[in-house]
Amino acid sequence: MYNLSCYNPTSFILVGIPGLEKFHMWIGMPFCAIYVVAIVGNCILLYLIAVEQSLHEPMFIFLSMLASTDLILSTATVPKLLSNLWFGSQEITFSGCLTQVFFLHFSFVVDSAILLAMAFDRYVAICLPLRYSTILTPQVIVKIMVSIIVRSFSVILPDVFLLKRLPFCKTRVIPHTYCEHIGVARLSSADISINIWYGFSVPLMTVISDVILIAVSYIFILKAVFLLSSQGARQKALSTCGSHVCVILMFYTPAFFSILAHRFGHSVPRNILILFANFYVAIPPALNPVVYGVKTKQIRDKFLLFFSLGKTQ
């Protein structure tokens, strides 16, 4: 019975943000506001892309997929964080923890692949404009989207089974606000070298390959832009990439900083690392629709039209 309970724990305890218990109520307020912005902004973005025929282009289809993934990422982490901070609901079931692990890492890998697909879209639009409609056909877009889902699913699903095989006999207290693969694996008394090897190397190499391909795409884009004869044409071409570059920086910069801080920042207080990790999963989903709404003329115009119609009714 003892061994069975080790391999099938009923629940874990999410501590929250250690050392800042007195401020949990106040810390939850900005996260609640950010979550509301993320839900409302991404839902409006999805609605505009769905109802507006002029937005049924490859770039906006990829953007709708990014918005959907951001909704998954936010909903997988922030509500549990708020229930922990505000209501002291620290317990999470083992199946709930595994579900959170899957959707947290899955949405991260999907986001990375979508940014790569969007970089490819910009490459074709700027470097091969006359062949854009023949290269990025609806069939090709569907294949890209399916391959993103299948790749991400096959990369992240083993994380769940690697955790399920472990015994948790020592402690079930997670010093964090959400479940993530290596953090949960470290609670086990068994050898977790496979978890560490797979959990770090495979998803990381997948994301790094995306970053390299995105960088290569933008090298070709910049080369094509600077070969244009007029200054106006250069500015127009670069402006179409502005929102995408902003989202790339918002996504990858905190991610790599967080990885480096956890790996080498042993002098950084634990509560600061946890706060940063929570801001990382909360802020990009809220800012992505804002960035695209401000920097993309088609979306900005439809957004203003949407609200002007709402006020007149």
Side-chain angles (χ1 to χ4, degrees):
M1 290 292 293
Y2 177 72
N3 286 337
L4 284 174
S5 66
C6 286
Y7 282 94
N8 295 282
T10 55
S11 61
F12 290 105
I13 300 297
L14 293 168
V15 172
I17 306 174
L20 297 177
E21 288 83 2
K22 290 190 290 187
F23 304 102
H24 276 185
M25 183 65 70
W26 300 103
I27 292 170
M29 290 180 182
F31 281 106
C32 181
I34 292 167
Y35 181 61
V36 170
V37 171
I39 296 297
V40 173
N42 284 295
C43 285
I44 291 174
L45 196 59
L46 286 169
Y47 173 77
L48 291 176
I49 293 171
V51 300
E52 292 294 337
Q53 192 68 32
S54 61
L55 298 180
H56 293 178
E57 298 176 8
M59 182 178 75
F60 299 113
I61 293 171
F62 290 137
L63 181 56
S64 68
M65 194 176 180
L66 184 69
S68 302
T69 310
D70 284 343
L71 287 172
I72 293 172
L73 177 60
S74 295
T75 306
T77 53
V78 180
K80 183 58 185 174
L81 165 68
L82 294 177
S83 69
N84 190 325
L85 296 178
W86 284 351
F87 307 112
S89 177
Q90 296 181 318
E91 190 174 18
I92 184 170
T93 62
F94 184 51
S95 58
C97 187
L98 293 179
T99 303
Q100 194 175 52
V101 167
F102 175 77
F103 281 110
L104 175 69
H105 296 295
F106 173 77
S107 50
F108 179 80
V109 176
V110 169
D111 271 354
S112 179
I114 294 169
L115 292 177
L116 173 59
M118 294 172 86
F120 177 68
D121 169 81
R122 292 299 84 205
Y123 164 75
V124 176
I126 292 173
C127 299
L128 305 166
L130 298 179
R131 297 174 58 195
Y132 183 82
S133 58
T134 57
I135 293 175
L136 289 172
T137 61
Q139 294 81 5
V140 171
I141 298 300
V142 170
K143 288 178 182 178
I144 291 173
M145 294 172 71
V146 171
S147 65
I148 287 172
I149 299 297
V150 171
R151 186 193 78 159
S152 304
F153 186 84
S154 59
V155 166
I156 299 303
L157 187 63
D159 285 352
V160 175
F161 293 102
L162 287 172
L163 287 175
K164 279 183 73 70
R165 72 184 181 88
L166 295 175
F168 296 94
C169 301
K170 292 192 302 181
T171 180
R172 293 171 191 172
V173 177
I174 302 173
H176 213 299
T177 56
Y178 56 76
C179 296
E180 55 91 18
H181 178 207
I182 301 301
V184 176
R186 282 179 175 149
L187 301 180
S188 176
S189 53
D191 179 24
I192 62 166
S193 55
I194 296 176
N195 294 72
I196 293 173
W197 177 83
Y198 188 88
F200 276 123
S201 63
V202 177
L204 196 61
M205 290 306 296
T206 305
V207 172
I208 286 175
S209 66
D210 292 343
V211 173
I212 292 170
L213 291 172
I214 289 170
V216 170
S217 298
Y218 270 94
I219 288 170
F220 284 111
I221 287 170
L222 290 173
K223 184 179 178 182
V225 166
F226 287 115
L227 288 176
L228 294 173
S229 55
S230 74
Q231 183 71 20
R234 286 194 210 112
Q235 288 181 345
K236 185 178 179 181
L238 288 173
S239 67
T240 63
C241 301
S243 52
H244 184 232
V245 171
C246 288
V247 171
I248 288 172
L249 293 174
M250 286 191 305
F251 179 76
Y252 287 115
T253 305
F256 287 121
F257 179 80
S258 181
I259 291 168
L260 291 172
H262 277 88
R263 181 68 183 85
F264 302 107
H266 303 296
S267 60
V268 181
R270 178 76 183 173
N271 50 23
I272 300 299
L273 292 176
I274 293 173
L275 265 176
F276 185 84
N278 279 283
F279 276 119
Y280 171 66
V281 298
I283 290 178
L287 288 183
N288 287 348
V290 175
V291 168
Y292 274 98
V294 170
K295 285 191 164 288
T296 308
K297 186 178 185 300
Q298 298 100 311
I299 293 177
R300 186 172 65 247
D301 292 343
K302 299 301 179 185
F303 186 80
L304 294 173
L305 180 63
F306 173 77
F307 273 96
S308 63
L309 288 174
K311 288 179 180 179
T312 56
Q313 290 177 355

